[in-house]
Amino acid sequence: MNKGVIFITGGAGFIGSHLTDILLKRGYSVRVFDNLSTGKRSNLPLENPRVHLIEGNIADAVAVAQAMNGCKAVVHLAAVASVQASVDDPISTHQSNFVGTLNVCEAMLQLKISRILFASSAAVYGGNGEEKAIGEDTPKSPLTPYASDKLASEHYIDFYRRQHAFESAIFRFFNIFGPRQDPASPYSGVISIFADRARNNLPITVFGDGEQTRDFVYVDDLVQILVQALEAPTVDSYPINVGMNHSTTLNQLIAALREITKCSPAVIYAPARAGDIRHSLADNKKLATHYDIKNKTSLKSGLEKLLAHSSVH
Ligand code: NAD
Ligand code: UD2
């Protein structure tokens, strides 16, 4: 029995393709809207008749509305996920990362679709450099156009919740990792880059002293939460941190990769990146209250799963 069609913007990407996989297993059909700027057809099981990929730009309002017609809910993941790209060309990334969100909301209004899940980011907090866990009520301090577009998108989605009774679930993703996260760019997720280098015994470059910390979340744990938010009778409309409340330094990450791969890649310590955040740790009490991650994936287990994949990404 088909449970209906879920519209995933950015569904050909790293996170979106894993969400597609689990939704298909649960009996949904999936309609992916993606411009394949970083997403890949090869990320999707296009041989499955319940997957439909529509190539298009979320900055194109007409294309979004036409593609979304007939869907029962929306997961809005499409964005230029590179912070650097937003710094280099804020006007262009704004079209994807903010105007795209507005187009998604307007199309939902026209089509009378009320449930939306939105991928925001810990970037909205900026970087206070402290080691303590960041709660959702922490004052927002978006430091880049990317972060500002994410925060603005949150506010607009909340407007549609108040004005048009949208059922909105906003998630502030911390550092997500797993297979299909492409290490190709120097701004790809650090785990995708380090894992790729370690498995090939190539030198790893650390920007800074390697004592910077991140709260890493394995992609399977994230998509469990997204499915629960799609299937819940009601959703909590306030933004929720998606993190494990577990702090890992890059030096600890490298040690774990060496142990798993039995390789000893050289490590080069380069100057820290401008604007780099020293510590990032999620206070995830709200997440734990509303969602239930079965069999949480530890960092070591996530790294083992990642490295067991034929190619890291
Ligand atoms: P990704 O780059 O793999 O996925 C983004 C997808 O959106 C890609 O498939 C890309 O082709 C598509 N896309 C980009 N611009 C588009 C446009 N204008 N029109 C249509 N499609 C477009 O990255 P991801 O890691 O899977 O990120 C998914 C979402 O999660 C993004 O919104 C990102 O900002 C957010 N996020 C990710 C992380 C993380 O750690 N991966 C952290 C915080 C937030
Ligand atoms: C993540 C997101 C970014 C934004 C931000 C919000 C990704 C890829 N980046 O940035 O979009 O949401 O969170 O806080 O999802 N590093 C190295 N060597 C490398 C690569 C990275 O030392 O080859 C360092 C980097 O300088 C940083 C840390 O690793 O200190 C993590 O980098 P990242 O880009 O994976 O993630 P982050 O948190 O900086």
Side-chain angles (χ1 to χ4, degrees):
M1 178 264 288
N2 193 318
K3 291 185 178 175
V5 187
I6 307 297
F7 191 72
I8 308 180
T9 73
F14 157 50
I15 294 170
S17 60
H18 285 277
L19 178 61
T20 297
D21 292 342
I22 193 170
L23 288 175
L24 291 170
K25 284 195 185 89
R26 296 181 69 82
Y28 293 92
S29 291
V30 175
R31 192 174 304 164
V32 170
F33 187 81
D34 202 306
N35 69 352
L36 303 182
S37 53
T38 53
K40 300 183 176 86
R41 289 178 183 283
S42 57
N43 284 343
L44 294 169
L46 292 174
E47 71 287 350
N48 185 322
R50 285 188 289 119
V51 184
H52 181 198
L53 168 62
I54 297 177
E55 255 191 270
N57 187 333
I58 44 168
D60 176 345
V62 172
V64 171
Q66 282 174 345
M68 192 189 286
N69 193 11
C71 293
K72 70 181 285 187
V74 173
V75 185
H76 180 33
L77 301 174
V80 177
S82 163
V83 174
Q84 190 57 45
S86 82
V87 170
D88 296 344
D89 185 355
I91 291 174
S92 162
T93 54
H94 183 71
Q95 304 313 310
S96 299
N97 294 359
F98 177 69
V99 175
T101 301
L102 222 40
N103 288 340
V104 165
C105 291
E106 278 299 303
M108 288 176 62
L109 190 56
Q110 286 168 36
L111 297 165
K112 297 182 174 38
I113 299 168
S114 59
R115 181 147 307 181
I116 178 171
L117 275 53
F118 174 60
S120 186
S121 167
V124 303
Y125 297 117
N128 56 18
E130 291 172 39
E131 294 192 55
K132 69 183 177 55
I134 301 170
E136 287 85 353
D137 297 334
T138 302
K140 311 302 171 290
S141 169
L143 301 176
T144 61
Y146 168 87
S148 299
D149 282 335
K150 286 295 187 185
L151 187 57
S153 290
E154 288 188 15
H155 288 306
Y156 268 78
I157 289 168
D158 199 56
F159 160 73
Y160 282 83
R161 176 187 67 84
R162 285 179 280 106
Q163 186 76 13
H164 303 294
F166 275 25
E167 302 166 352
S168 53
I170 296 170
F171 296 100
R172 292 178 182 148
F173 298 170
F174 276 66
N175 290 65
I176 317 301
F177 75 100
R180 304 182 202 149
Q181 189 174 36
D182 190 347
S185 147
Y187 293 99
S188 297
V190 66
I191 287 185
S192 69
I193 296 171
F194 283 15
D196 201 41
R197 309 288 292 180
R199 74 185 300 152
N200 294 299
N201 216 4
L202 294 170
I204 283 173
T205 302
V206 172
F207 300 120
D209 60 5
E211 288 305 301
Q212 63 261 57
T213 63
R214 291 296 186 270
D215 186 336
F216 293 114
V217 179
Y218 189 64
V219 66
D220 286 356
D221 294 359
L222 169 64
V223 295
Q224 276 188 60
I225 294 161
L226 298 178
V227 170
Q228 288 173 34
L230 276 173
E231 297 183 338
T234 59
V235 283
D236 185 305
S237 57
Y238 293 98
I240 290 184
N241 287 338
V242 178
M244 305 304 268
N245 186 242
H246 185 84
S247 191
T248 303
T249 69
L250 295 197
N251 291 323
Q252 289 166 332
L253 172 62
I254 292 168
L257 287 167
R258 280 180 163 153
E259 188 188 330
I260 297 165
T261 60
K262 305 294 180 230
C263 295
S264 300
V267 180
I268 301 153
Y269 289 90
R273 277 178 181 163
D276 204 33
I277 290 164
R278 182 77 174 154
H279 297 295
S280 174
L281 178 65
D283 171 338
N284 64 359
K285 286 193 277 301
K286 277 186 82 170
L287 180 71
T289 306
H290 293 86
Y291 298 97
D292 171 28
I293 304 176
K294 292 181 178 52
N295 309 317
K296 279 183 193 154
T297 309
S298 68
L299 178 66
K300 183 169 183 294
S301 167
L303 292 174
E304 286 165 346
K305 288 179 185 176
L306 171 61
L307 287 160
H309 256 256
S310 53
S311 67
V312 164
H313 56 280

